[in-house]
Amino acid sequence: MSTQPANTSINPFDANRETDYLRAKTGLMSWLVTVDHKRLGVMYGIAVLFFFLVAGILAILLRTELFTPDQDFMSAQTYNQVFTLHGAIMVFLFIIPSVPAAMGNFLLPLMLGAKDVAFPKLNLLSFYIYSIASVFFIAALLNGGLDTGWTFYTPYSTSTGTAVVTATAGAFIAGFSSILTGLNFIVTVHKMRAPGMTWNRMPLFVWAIYATAVIQVLATPVLAITLLLIIIERTLGIGIFDPALGGDPVLFQHFFWFYSHPAVYIMILPGFGIISELITVHSRKHIFGYKAIALSSVAIAVISFLVWGHHLFVSGQSELVGILFSFLTFAVGVPTAIKVFSWIATLYRGSIVYNTAMWYAMAFLWTFSVGGLTGLPLSTLAIDVHLHDTYFVVAHFHYVMVGGTVVAFIGGIHHWWPKITGKMFNETAGKIGCLMVFVGFNVTFLTQFFLGHQGMPRRYYAYLPEYQTMHQISTVGSWILAAGLFWVLTYLIASLFNKSRAPANPWGGVSLEWHTQSPPIEHNFHETPHVHGSPYDFPEIDKSGGNFHAEPVAFAADNLA
């Protein structure tokens, strides 16, 4: 850190130029044209949390409307539009970009010991493409809404009078942002690792982001082409999916799910990476089965391209094809189970610190396990016929996406909050928030398994009176969940006004992001780190001296102040 000698006079011109320089670094324009991966990560984070808020408010409106079997405050048509936009905004503008684009941008170069991503300007372009896509979704909301469901199923999406073209164009554009981000991350991992950081020394979060990026690059073009075909069919009247024009609506489902099931792992794989970091750091123990967890991420990425047909068990496909897809769906549970058992083994005899981040990791182990295990009945041909398109599917999907991805995302926010903001949050408030989220989520969606088992169809605006009690329990749970999320938002924002500064490494982490100050300097490290050992060799546990460290030791406390 440079200082100005006390007896040195400053030329007024130089002082003004210094003031202009500082203003350029801190003004609004500096954020709008930045190529700093950390700032872009923060901007993505603010954007995805805004759309999480929008989609969450829509969800609360849905659950409140379902408090009674009859109409309460919205019409059936309005209900269809609300649940469609809830799903579309939540999937395309929040869950898919939340961890890869927001946390991945901020953390990936830091964890690799790099100054930035491989293509900083392309990174900025990806953010603006995402922003343009979000404008299209907002326009769809204002221009007659959308009532097709977030999957845009044909032939309804080719015949409804709502803003299908606007919404599908938004999803189409968002796909380019996803592809460019994935490409950027792949090149960054291959070419920007610090000296000494071999593939076997990369943090597991990096492995998860890398596997996710591969899926983004390979699968997203299929969705983009599919949505473009819908736009062509609606605007030009060419029969592709609409049977009235000689098209095949089941063909759309094959195209859509060939992307969208891998997209499930675009959503959840980064969450797996977060949980790996949370559990090992806050249990102060080397991760159990490092190579198995790392390679299982790649295995999930590969197998995810082979299971799309389990969404079409009742579409009329042949029994042989159904059996094959059922087998492959069971197979994808193997690498996922490897991760869960490795996390549990890591916790065994670890020096566990029960802070807020670890509370979210524990909550994840429950909610995601329920989501994963309830996927097994849906993978079984005979059972899926009865549970298909019921609330059982809704509950399973939310246990994986919200109980998995969102819980991991919130846990990751708490884990890296001091690094991102340089501020510490209130731990007591954090644990209260985690408890509210956990209770509210389980009350909301555990009930829906029973609703689906008893035959309650999903996407229905009205229902039989015998389902009312469980719907009301689910709705009350959604209110608790919403209150918990607003509580989390409140104390995190309040922490930004703390006068005290967070230490560089409040949790005792070993990976490289903890070897720079909080928040990190513009180019992350004063000197290029040289990596030795594993990112999970904690001094308290491993006494052999093989700890993960950087050379030269430029990250001492006096350099981080």
Side-chain angles (χ1 to χ4, degrees):
M1 182 176 67
S2 62
T3 57
Q4 182 70 38
N7 60 351
T8 302
S9 61
I10 302 177
N11 186 299
F13 175 79
D14 292 336
N16 292 335
R17 188 166 61 182
E18 179 71 12
T19 301
D20 292 339
Y21 173 79
L22 292 175
R23 187 181 298 112
K25 289 290 184 180
T26 58
L28 176 61
M29 185 55 65
S30 70
W31 284 83
L32 295 178
V33 299
T34 185
V35 292
D36 183 355
H37 70 96
K38 299 179 293 299
R39 285 192 167 194
L40 284 168
V42 171
M43 290 162 66
Y44 265 117
I46 294 172
V48 298
L49 288 174
F50 169 76
F51 287 111
F52 183 42
L53 174 64
V54 173
I57 291 173
L58 295 175
I60 294 300
L61 293 175
L62 291 174
R63 287 301 334 156
T64 305
E65 171 58 38
L66 292 170
F67 196 77
T68 65
D70 304 315
Q71 178 176 336
D72 291 321
F73 60 91
M74 66 173 73
S75 66
Q77 179 66 19
T78 302
Y79 178 86
N80 287 343
Q81 294 181 10
V82 169
F83 88 71
T84 296
L85 286 168
H86 159 71
I89 293 173
M90 192 69 84
V91 170
F92 294 112
L93 297 182
F94 170 62
I95 297 183
I96 287 179
S98 61
V99 182
M103 285 192 169
N105 256 306
F106 193 97
L107 294 169
L108 186 69
L110 287 169
M111 287 184 158
L112 292 175
K115 292 183 178 181
D116 210 312
V117 293
F119 306 112
K121 292 182 179 179
L122 190 66
N123 204 18
L124 177 62
L125 176 63
S126 299
F127 175 76
Y128 277 111
I129 292 174
Y130 167 84
S131 302
I132 293 170
S134 67
V135 172
F136 274 79
F137 277 101
I138 295 172
L141 178 64
L142 301 176
N143 186 30
L146 182 69
D147 60 358
T148 63
W150 74 273
T151 56
F152 307 114
Y153 267 13
T154 57
Y156 191 55
S157 61
T158 57
S159 59
T160 178
T162 53
V164 174
V165 172
T166 306
T168 52
F172 176 80
I173 294 169
F176 284 95
S177 175
S178 185
I179 293 169
L180 294 178
T181 298
L183 179 65
N184 213 341
F185 287 173
I186 290 172
V187 177
T188 301
V189 171
H190 277 271
K191 296 296 185 181
M192 304 289 285
R193 302 194 306 274
M197 180 171 286
T198 63
W199 288 90
N200 290 330
R201 289 176 177 171
M202 291 196 312
L204 289 170
F205 179 78
V206 175
W207 272 103
I209 291 293
Y210 179 77
T212 302
V214 171
I215 299 175
Q216 288 176 295
V217 171
L218 295 180
T220 307
V222 178
L223 175 68
I225 294 171
T226 305
L227 297 178
L228 184 60
L229 290 175
I230 287 183
I231 294 173
I232 291 173
E233 183 163 315
R234 283 187 62 96
T235 55
L236 302 181
I238 299 175
I240 302 170
F241 304 122
D242 189 345
L245 299 174
D248 184 359
V250 178
L251 178 63
F252 173 85
Q253 295 186 38
H254 280 285
F255 285 169
F256 181 85
W257 288 114
F258 183 81
Y259 161 80
S260 292
H261 200 81
V264 170
Y265 297 101
I266 292 176
M267 304 176 208
I268 193 61
L269 268 174
F272 290 161
I274 291 173
I275 297 303
S276 295
E277 300 297 327
L278 265 57
I279 286 180
T280 187
V281 169
H282 298 289
S283 63
R284 310 295 303 161
K285 182 182 175 184
H286 193 291
I287 193 76
F288 181 88
Y290 169 87
K291 289 185 179 180
I293 296 178
L295 294 178
S296 66
S297 295
V298 179
I300 290 172
V302 173
I303 299 174
S304 69
F305 285 94
L306 307 175
V307 299
W308 79 91
H310 69 221
H311 294 273
L312 290 89
F313 281 158
V314 297
S315 67
Q317 64 186 10
S318 71
E319 293 180 358
L320 176 60
V321 171
I323 292 171
L324 290 174
F325 278 122
S326 178
F327 171 78
L328 290 169
T329 304
F330 279 108
V332 80
V334 175
T336 306
I338 287 173
K339 293 181 182 293
V340 175
F341 287 122
S342 295
W343 294 329
I344 294 172
T346 303
L347 291 170
Y348 177 66
R349 301 186 68 180
S351 301
I352 300 174
V353 179
Y354 290 101
N355 53 25
T356 303
M358 181 56 93
W359 274 41
Y360 277 102
M362 296 295 190
F364 174 93
L365 289 178
W366 163 259
T367 53
F368 177 76
S369 295
V370 170
L373 291 173
T374 53
L376 299 180
L378 297 174
S379 306
T380 307
L381 288 168
I383 301 176
D384 182 75
V385 170
H386 299 282
L387 296 178
H388 192 84
D389 266 343
T390 69
Y391 258 80
F392 193 97
V393 178
V394 177
H396 161 72
F397 182 81
H398 283 83
Y399 262 92
V400 174
M401 293 297 95
V402 182
T405 303
V406 177
V407 168
F409 179 59
I410 299 174
I413 289 175
H414 286 81
H415 180 67
W416 284 293
W417 186 258
K419 181 59 58 180
I420 296 170
T421 67
K423 303 291 184 178
M424 296 296 293
F425 57 88
N426 185 287
E427 279 287 342
T428 301
K431 293 174 182 178
I432 293 173
C434 180
L435 185 62
M436 293 174 68
V437 169
F438 182 76
V439 171
F441 173 80
N442 282 282
V443 171
T444 302
F445 295 106
L446 196 61
T447 312
Q448 294 179 11
F449 283 120
F450 299 101
L451 277 170
H453 179 265
Q454 294 182 18
M456 173 68 204
R458 61 174 173 168
R459 302 193 181 109
Y460 270 45
Y461 167 71
Y463 54 86
L464 298 176
E466 51 261 40
Y467 297 127
Q468 181 171 356
T469 300
M470 284 187 288
H471 267 297
Q472 289 179 340
I473 294 172
S474 181
T475 298
V476 171
S478 71
W479 296 341
I480 298 172
L481 175 60
L485 291 171
F486 276 111
W487 174 257
V488 172
L489 178 65
T490 299
Y491 69 74
L492 287 179
I493 292 177
S495 72
L496 298 176
F497 299 95
N498 291 343
K499 294 182 179 180
S500 59
R501 182 174 175 177
N505 190 2
W507 318 124
V510 186
S511 50
L512 280 179
E513 78 271 24
W514 302 113
H515 286 261
T516 185
Q517 67 187 47
S518 300
I521 60 175
E522 183 176 359
H523 296 296
N524 298 339
F525 303 98
H526 290 290
E527 299 180 45
T528 301
H530 293 254
V531 175
H532 300 269
S534 164
Y536 305 114
D537 286 337
F538 295 95
E540 296 84 346
I541 304 299
D542 182 44
K543 304 297 184 182
S544 64
N547 298 325
F548 188 80
H549 62 280
E551 294 181 353
V553 185
F555 314 113
D558 56 340
N559 289 326
L560 299 176

